[in-house]
């Protein structure tokens, strides 16, 4: 490969004019480029474009440098370099067209992973332009492609789940957003996200958990470090709200109503949230009774624990049964419910203390039963 004078001129110019902390990279670029050490050069360019201060150089370095030796590099990395440049362009539509062009360039049999990645990133820009149909079409096509790959680079999974999550956010499909956003976080190092991105993602996940009509176990979110991003922010109270729902604590939920009123999306769904907190209270009540022998519970007890009139308990229990939150039956004549199973719970500190107390009580009952048997039939314990 002939050394391109234009490339050398570009690198030398940037080395003279760039800030000292960035100028050294251009010197190293030129050295590795002249020696044709492509793998190390690729890694160094990747390191460079991830430096926040290098943002103004991303478009130039892609067009004036990377394009010259792109055939020697990993095509997934090439797409990532192009994406870094696209994010610096003046308009979203220009970025979408640019990534679509890159997708066409890497649409070859030996670079289908790169094609999937470029297509997804082009679709993400289209999503920002509110082109939901084009985004959905790309997601469906990309999913089929990814499922056909023998091995998938984590960066492609991350791109897929990110676009999926943001698509479902735009559609207000809270359950699907929650699922895909958590899968995204499993593919990336959360600490590599900016503070603003961590806060936004944690906030969106909290909203999705609260407003989804299919999520009644917040364990995946409550145990995830992303939630700590809300600490010392205006949204910190959301953690308390999630914990209140997880514990079915109606009193704490009502105490947080003032903060909730400042969130239009939650205000619009207040009736649903009122029902959901009572379903969570029902689950928690039945969970506490497991192991105590109290499988049959009168409507009056459920009414007291869920703060609902006795006439509304049957509907609440039927809702819990239909959602698979509990298994059991309703005795309309005797006004009581029988519960054989409760959905597994994520336990907070207070719930763990209650569980420890129940285990201690269970141990005492076992010892008491063993003692009675020993006193009644001593010959069996001789």
């Amino acid at each position: 490969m002939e050394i391109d004078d234009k490339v050398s001129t570009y690198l030398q110019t940037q080395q003279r004019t760039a800030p000292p902390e960035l100028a050294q990279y251009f010197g190293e670029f030129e050295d590795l480029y002249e020696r044709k050490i492509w793998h190390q050069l690729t890694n160094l360019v990747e390191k460079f474009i991830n430096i926040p201060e290098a943002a103004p150089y991303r478009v130039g370095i892609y067009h004036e440098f990377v394009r010259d030796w792109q055939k020697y590099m990993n095509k997934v990395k090439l797409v990532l370099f192009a994406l870094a440049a696209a994010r610096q362009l003046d308009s979203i539509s220009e970025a979408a067209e640019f990534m679509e062009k890159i997708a066409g360039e890497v649409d070859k049999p030996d670079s289908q992973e790169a094609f999937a990645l470029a297509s997804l990133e082009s679709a993400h820009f289209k999503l920002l332009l509110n082109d939901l149909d084009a985004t959905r079409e790309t997601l469906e096509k990309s999913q089929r492609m990814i499922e056909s790959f023998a091995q998938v680079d984590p960066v492609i999974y991350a791109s897929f789940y990110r676009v999926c999550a943001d698509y479902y956010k735009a559609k207000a499909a809270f359950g699907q957003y929650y699922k895909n956003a958590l899968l995204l976080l499993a593919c990336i190092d959360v600490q590599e996200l900016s503070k603003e991105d961590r806060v936004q993602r944690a906030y969106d996940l909290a909203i999705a958990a609260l407003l989804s009509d299919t999520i009644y176990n917040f364990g995946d979110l409550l145990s995830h470090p992303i939630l700590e991003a809300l600490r010392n922010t205006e949204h910190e109270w959301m953690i308390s709200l999630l914990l209140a729902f997880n514990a079915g604590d109606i009193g704490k939920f009502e105490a947080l109503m003032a903060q909730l009123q400042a969130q239009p999306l939650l205000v619009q769904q207040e009736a649903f949230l009122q029902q959901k907190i009572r379903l969570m209270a029902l689950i928690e009540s039945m969970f506490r009774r497991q192991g105590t022998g109290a499988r049959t519970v009168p409507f009056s007890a459920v009414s007291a624990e869920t703060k609902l009139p006795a006439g509304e308990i049957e509907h609440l229990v039927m809702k819990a049964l239909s959602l698979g939150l509990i298994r059991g039956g309703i005795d309309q004549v005797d006004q009581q419910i029988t519960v054989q199973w409760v959905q597994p719970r994520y336990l907070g500190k207070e719930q763990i203390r209650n569980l420890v107390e129940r285990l201690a009580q269970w141990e005492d009952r076992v010892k008491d039963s063993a003692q009675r048997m020993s006193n009644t039939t001593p010959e069996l314990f001789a």
Side-chain angles (χ1 to χ4, degrees):
M1 173 184 173
E2 293 291 331
I3 302 302
D4 193 324
D5 288 339
K6 291 182 179 179
V7 170
S8 295
T9 300
Y10 167 76
L11 294 175
Q12 290 168 10
T13 300
Q14 299 307 313
Q15 188 176 5
R16 288 194 305 270
T17 60
E21 65 274 14
L22 299 179
Q24 61 177 347
Y25 282 95
F26 290 100
E28 293 178 52
F29 290 159
E30 184 175 18
D31 176 58
L32 292 172
Y33 175 76
E34 290 177 350
R35 293 194 289 150
K36 305 178 185 179
I37 306 179
W38 309 123
H39 179 70
Q40 289 92 325
L41 181 55
T42 300
N43 290 340
L44 189 62
V45 171
E46 182 177 30
K47 181 180 178 181
F48 177 81
I49 66 170
N50 286 324
I51 300 172
E53 293 76 15
Y57 297 89
R58 290 169 185 165
V59 174
I61 203 168
Y62 177 79
H63 287 291
E64 303 297 332
F65 182 46
V66 170
R67 295 285 291 182
D68 183 77
W69 51 280
Q70 63 182 15
K71 65 180 179 180
Y72 299 105
M73 74 172 68
N74 178 292
K75 295 304 180 284
V76 170
K77 294 290 180 66
L78 174 64
V79 171
L80 291 176
F81 297 164
L83 176 61
R87 288 173 174 165
Q88 303 301 314
L89 297 177
D90 293 333
S91 70
I92 296 174
S93 58
E94 185 182 359
E97 292 173 4
F98 176 68
M99 289 309 300
E100 194 166 4
K101 178 183 177 183
I102 297 300
E105 292 179 3
V106 296
D107 185 10
K108 299 175 182 177
D110 62 346
S111 57
Q112 285 299 288
E113 281 195 350
F115 172 61
L117 178 60
S119 299
L120 284 166
E121 295 302 339
S122 175
H124 192 252
F125 285 120
K126 292 176 183 177
L127 179 60
L128 296 176
L129 295 169
N130 205 34
D131 191 345
L132 299 181
D133 291 338
T135 304
R136 185 188 67 251
E137 183 180 343
T138 299
L139 284 172
E140 292 171 351
K141 181 178 179 181
S142 298
Q143 183 174 15
R144 291 192 296 270
M145 291 177 62
I146 291 171
E147 289 173 349
S148 71
F149 295 154
Q151 192 172 9
V152 183
D153 191 311
V155 74
I156 298 173
Y157 274 130
S159 178
F160 176 74
Y161 291 130
R162 176 167 47 82
V163 180
C164 278
D166 290 350
Y167 171 77
Y168 287 119
K169 178 182 176 180
K171 298 280 287 186
F174 300 111
Q176 289 282 46
Y177 171 82
Y178 184 84
K179 172 187 173 183
N180 284 280
L182 285 175
L183 286 170
L184 164 64
L185 295 179
C187 296
I188 63 175
D189 181 352
V190 173
Q191 294 306 313
E192 291 183 358
L193 297 175
S194 68
K195 172 65 175 177
E196 293 75 14
D197 287 344
R198 292 199 301 273
V199 171
Q200 187 64 54
R201 190 65 72 180
Y203 174 79
D204 289 341
L205 276 165
I207 292 291
L210 292 167
L211 296 184
S212 170
D213 59 0
T214 60
I215 300 170
Y216 289 85
N217 187 333
F218 298 167
D220 289 336
L221 179 56
L222 288 172
S223 61
H224 200 288
I226 190 67
L227 207 57
E228 291 301 307
L230 297 180
R231 300 285 185 193
N232 302 315
T233 72
E234 61 180 317
H235 303 305
E236 184 171 5
W237 65 275
M238 294 286 288
I239 300 175
S240 298
L241 186 61
L242 288 170
L243 290 170
F245 268 80
N246 189 68
D249 191 332
I250 297 174
K252 184 178 288 186
F253 167 70
E254 292 176 343
L256 291 166
M257 285 299 292
Q259 289 97 320
L260 187 147
Q261 294 301 317
Q263 303 295 321
L265 196 56
L266 296 182
V267 173
Q268 292 170 16
Q269 300 292 330
E270 185 175 342
F272 170 77
L273 292 173
Q274 292 283 1
Q275 181 189 66
K276 186 166 184 173
I277 188 66
R278 282 159 175 80
L279 283 168
M280 302 292 265
L282 174 64
I283 300 169
E284 181 65 21
S285 172
M286 296 303 106
F287 181 78
R288 287 199 305 267
R289 286 180 167 86
Q290 284 188 322
T292 66
R295 291 179 176 271
T296 301
V297 185
F299 279 14
S300 58
V302 178
S303 175
E305 291 167 344
T306 60
K307 297 185 179 182
L308 280 177
E312 297 182 22
I313 297 305
E314 183 178 345
H315 180 267
L316 182 73
V317 174
M318 289 177 65
K319 182 72 173 178
L321 289 168
S322 68
L323 290 169
L325 305 178
I326 61 174
R327 295 175 192 161
I330 303 174
D331 186 334
Q332 295 174 317
V333 175
D334 293 333
Q335 294 284 285
Q336 60 186 19
I337 64 173
T338 302
V339 177
Q340 286 91 34
W341 177 87
V342 181
Q343 183 188 70
R345 314 290 297 129
Y346 171 84
L347 303 182
K349 292 181 180 179
E350 184 62 33
Q351 292 164 299
I352 292 173
R353 280 193 289 268
N354 292 336
L355 181 60
V356 170
E357 291 176 4
R358 284 168 46 197
L359 289 171
Q361 293 169 4
W362 176 78
E363 182 182 20
D364 291 340
R365 290 199 302 272
V366 170
K367 289 179 180 178
D368 186 56
S369 297
Q371 187 62 48
R372 287 201 304 272
M373 290 180 63
S374 177
N375 294 338
T376 306
T377 56
E379 64 277 6
L380 295 178
F381 294 86

